[in-house]
Amino acid sequence: GPVPATAKIHDLYSGGSSNPFTPGDGEVWFLSGGSVKSTSSSAGRAFILIDDGTINDFEIADESWTAGQQNPWDPFIGGAGLYLDANTTLKASVTFSSGSTAAIYSYLIRVR
């Protein structure tokens, strides 16, 4: 089960900077969801991906937004969560209509 006091919201992307999440050696994290938020007056689109470094990235969410919106990742793999270990990286690929910025968050809890 979950390790007490380990839940966190990880900022996968902020403004124009990507911040991928890779668990440390021996760690296992449960990804239960996330959200995207416009931080400017423009629209954008984000692909949320898992990368294991061996084949093409595995897409788990595709989110679009308009100015001022915050949306949950929907659907998120049929509502089920995903486990991440040191062999996987959670990341976001983001495109904007023009001059936009965004914040993309993931909700994680360590289970090992």
Side-chain angles (χ1 to χ4, degrees):
V3 176
T6 61
K8 68 178 184 173
I9 297 171
H10 180 79
D11 186 357
L12 276 178
Y13 188 93
S14 183
S17 300
S18 183
N19 185 26
F21 176 78
T22 303
D25 288 339
E27 295 179 351
V28 177
W29 289 80
F30 182 73
L31 170 66
S32 63
S35 65
V36 297
K37 179 181 179 181
S38 171
T39 55
S40 68
S41 59
S42 197
R45 184 174 184 185
F47 299 97
I48 311 304
L49 309 157
I50 294 177
D51 181 4
D52 73 354
T54 63
I55 60 172
N56 290 334
D57 298 340
F58 175 67
E59 182 182 325
I60 60 171
D62 177 352
E63 285 300 320
S64 296
W65 63 88
T66 59
Q69 260 186 328
Q70 182 167 356
N71 297 328
W73 298 348
D74 183 34
F76 177 66
I77 305 295
L82 296 167
Y83 292 95
L84 303 168
D85 65 14
N87 296 321
T88 55
T89 298
L90 178 67
K91 61 186 184 179
S93 175
V94 183
T95 58
F96 300 109
S97 57
S98 64
S100 186
T101 59
I104 301 172
Y105 306 110
S106 59
Y107 182 75
L108 302 146
I109 189 162
R110 189 170 170 189
V111 295
R112 182 181 145 173

